[in-house]
Amino acid sequence: MIGGGLAGLSAAVALAESGFRVRLLEKRPHLGGRAASYVLPSGEHVDNCQHVTLGCCTNLADFYRRVGAADKIRFYDQLLFAGPDGKRGVMNSSFLPAPLHMAPSFSVFPLLDWTDKRAIASCMMTIARSSGRPRDIDNGAGKITILEWLERHGQTKQAIRRFWEAVLVSALDENLDRADARYGIDVFWKAFLSNRDGFRMGIPVVPLGDLYDGCRAAIAGKGGEVLTRAGVRGFYIEAGRIRGVEREDGSVESADYYLTAVPQDVLPKLLPDDLVKREAVFSNLNYLHTSPIVGVHLWFDRTVMTEPFLALLDLTCQWVFNKTLLYGNRDGDGGQYLQLVISAAYKLVPMPRQEIIELCLLELSGVLPGAREAKLVKGTVVKETSATFSPAPGSDRWRPAQRSPLGGLFLAGDWTATGWPSTMEGAVRSGYLAAEAILSDAGTPDSFLKPELPPEGLARFCGSGS
């Protein structure tokens, strides 16, 4: 196993439970890949970017259960929003059946006007009536962006900015004018319309690195091994089959099966150039582009926020997480630690880190009055310039299956064909699918992939198309 992110870890745990002796090689000093944490020189644990899960992420939930991390996720039954002036809004579920369960809170949501709400409700009904598969997501010449689709369905500028964009840019890590309409529609069908539990947001109450403690034990307990700081240079290939992998220290590992769980732009570098050019599975990866995420970590000398999290509207900052509250105020020093997240952060990547911090402080001063008087003790910025693959229109045709054209080589990663965009759920789905492919090849087929939340209530009768 090459790569210790969620894709590699989920595949490794599944295969270990199935009787395989797994050796996992991770280049970094920690597990988790892009959903990892590390310790600052001053001792604070910092996530490279805040990651959350939703109730509709059934395979991620299964993985957390397998490695004993399920109790480290706290779920919330309402979504909290704030405008630039600090005005709050809440969306939650009601007694009504899906897909109407969130309609009461939406109807009184104070950060949208009635023109916006009517447009949004009409669009949501189009999604619901078609079970998330409206007929017009393909314009005949190719896939369209979610922005084009929303404009076609009469969405106001404010509805797009304060509702669709607020949810989808974070969910897809891409701007609406760059993301395939199918992915955006999927988010709303699976998370907000088909099932009452789909929207529930789960946030880790520990640093992300602590979620993976059970992975080592799960693998080692079955005779396997997890090695960090163990990068690889490339594969040895003979007669169309992988015969070994060379590590950066010059040693060579051999195995019955090899699974790569590395980013899509890294995999071709592990293979001979002529092979990459010859095999479309590998050469097509050049058509998958990436999107950046920026995480901003701020420590204040006092409490400035009481909510566990806020989705921010009409601002550069998109989410703010109250890490002191989520972590249970471990330090107890009276200060507060907040983490801000900006997805599809193309404009922020070239900016100096101090300028990014100043921009975030300015925006927070409008949302959190307490931040105006508080002293910033310290701040840091984490830039993930290639955080996820960009879900551009038609990008599914470049995403490969988990079984590669090389004998013995299997692929995992959220960029492989999973049916999901680049999310933690998509990464785990890829790991489970890769494990299933290996077991099938070994003649001992098994199933790990969990079904998605089933449509319930009135949503069970949707699907006539629109």
Side-chain angles (χ1 to χ4, degrees):
M1 312 286 296
I2 301 169
L6 278 171
L9 290 172
S10 56
V13 170
L15 289 169
E17 292 178 354
S18 299
F20 278 72
R21 186 163 58 87
V22 174
R23 171 169 283 188
L24 188 148
L25 307 178
E26 165 55 47
K27 182 176 183 177
R28 301 184 186 187
H30 50 73
L31 299 176
R34 291 162 294 169
S37 60
Y38 56 92
V39 182
L40 295 177
S42 51
E44 291 89 355
H45 289 260
V46 170
D47 296 337
N48 67 336
C49 180
Q50 179 68 61
H51 286 68
V52 303
T53 183
L54 295 173
C56 59
C57 297
T58 54
N59 287 278
L60 181 59
D62 178 75
F63 171 69
Y64 285 150
R65 285 192 295 269
R66 287 177 185 268
V67 300
D71 62 347
K72 298 176 182 178
I73 308 295
R74 181 180 301 152
F75 279 88
Y76 293 88
D77 294 320
Q78 60 181 11
L79 302 179
L80 311 173
F81 297 83
D85 59 357
K87 188 175 183 179
R88 303 301 204 258
V90 177
M91 288 191 189
N92 52 31
S93 189
S94 71
F95 65 91
L96 293 177
L100 305 175
H101 52 293
M102 301 189 77
S105 64
F106 175 74
S107 67
V108 298
F109 189 69
L111 303 176
L112 296 166
D113 62 32
W114 279 108
T115 302
D116 304 324
K117 292 176 182 179
R118 282 194 299 269
I120 293 167
S122 174
C123 206
M124 295 287 264
M125 288 307 297
T126 297
I127 296 173
R129 284 197 301 267
S130 65
S131 294
R133 286 294 180 269
R135 296 190 184 105
D136 64 346
I137 58 175
D138 191 323
N139 63 7
K143 302 295 183 181
I144 64 173
T145 68
I146 185 62
L147 179 60
E148 291 174 306
W149 189 84
L150 292 171
E151 291 175 339
R152 176 183 298 176
H153 285 265
Q155 299 305 288
T156 66
K157 290 184 178 180
Q158 181 164 274
I160 291 173
R161 192 176 67 250
R162 288 199 161 196
F163 182 77
W164 301 101
E165 190 174 281
V167 173
L168 291 177
V169 171
S170 298
L172 303 177
D173 186 28
E174 190 52 280
N175 293 321
L176 302 192
D177 61 350
R178 300 187 184 196
D180 194 317
R182 184 181 71 80
Y183 288 120
I185 291 167
D186 266 355
V187 169
F188 279 92
W189 170 246
K190 294 174 181 178
F192 294 97
L193 294 171
S194 68
N195 189 291
R196 293 168 57 86
D197 291 329
F199 82 99
R200 297 180 67 237
M201 190 162 78
I203 306 176
V205 296
V206 297
L208 288 174
D210 292 1
L211 295 178
Y212 314 120
D213 292 342
C215 295
R216 290 179 182 271
I219 295 169
K222 299 294 184 178
E225 188 176 12
V226 176
L227 301 177
T228 54
R229 293 188 172 90
V232 302
R233 291 177 179 169
F235 291 105
Y236 288 105
I237 303 171
E238 182 180 303
R241 187 173 184 85
I242 301 295
R243 297 301 180 185
V245 60
E246 182 184 6
R247 291 173 52 178
E248 288 182 344
D249 63 5
S251 62
V252 176
E253 302 276 359
S254 60
D256 298 302
Y257 296 96
Y258 302 82
L259 191 150
T260 67
V262 298
Q264 76 275 4
D265 56 342
V266 173
L267 175 58
K269 300 174 184 177
L270 303 179
L271 301 168
D273 290 341
D274 60 334
L275 173 67
V276 172
K277 294 176 182 177
R278 186 170 67 249
E279 293 288 352
V281 165
F282 303 124
S283 61
N284 284 344
L285 297 180
N286 291 324
Y287 296 107
L288 289 176
H289 302 293
T290 59
S291 303
I293 296 178
V294 169
V296 182
H297 305 261
L298 304 174
W299 286 265
F300 292 95
D301 66 344
R302 68 194 73 178
T303 298
V304 300
M305 177 178 174
T306 57
E307 300 93 342
F309 63 88
L310 284 170
L312 307 182
L313 308 181
D314 287 349
L315 295 171
T316 302
C317 301
Q318 296 156 357
W319 290 83
V320 55
F321 294 89
N322 185 344
K323 304 292 276 191
T324 298
L325 180 61
L326 291 167
Y327 288 173
N329 193 21
R330 286 196 246 181
D331 296 331
D333 58 0
Q336 190 168 51
Y337 165 32
L338 305 182
Q339 182 177 359
L340 290 74
V341 179
I342 303 99
S343 299
Y346 296 100
K347 294 181 179 179
L348 269 62
V349 167
M351 288 176 58
R353 283 172 167 77
Q354 186 57 39
E355 284 188 22
I356 295 174
I357 290 174
E358 291 171 0
L359 170 63
C360 292
L361 289 174
L362 178 63
E363 293 190 345
L364 281 184
S365 67
V367 177
L368 305 173
R372 300 169 193 166
E373 304 298 328
K375 176 184 177 182
L376 181 67
V377 178
K378 58 178 173 261
T380 188
V381 176
V382 179
K383 299 179 181 180
E384 285 281 352
T385 56
S386 299
T388 68
F389 81 86
S390 172
S395 57
D396 266 1
R397 68 184 182 273
W398 312 123
R399 301 172 68 182
Q402 285 71 36
R403 187 186 298 271
S404 89
L406 291 173
L409 180 65
F410 297 80
L411 313 177
D414 56 13
W415 48 270
T416 62
T418 67
W420 278 63
S422 186
T423 60
M424 293 195 295
E425 170 72 7
V428 174
R429 288 173 68 90
S430 79
Y432 283 177
L433 288 168
E436 290 179 3
I438 290 173
L439 286 172
S440 177
D441 194 80
T444 56
D446 201 352
S447 177
F448 302 107
L449 196 69
K450 300 301 177 184
E452 295 180 355
L453 289 181
E456 62 179 15
L458 298 177
R460 291 177 297 163
F461 306 105
C462 296
S464 60
S466 179

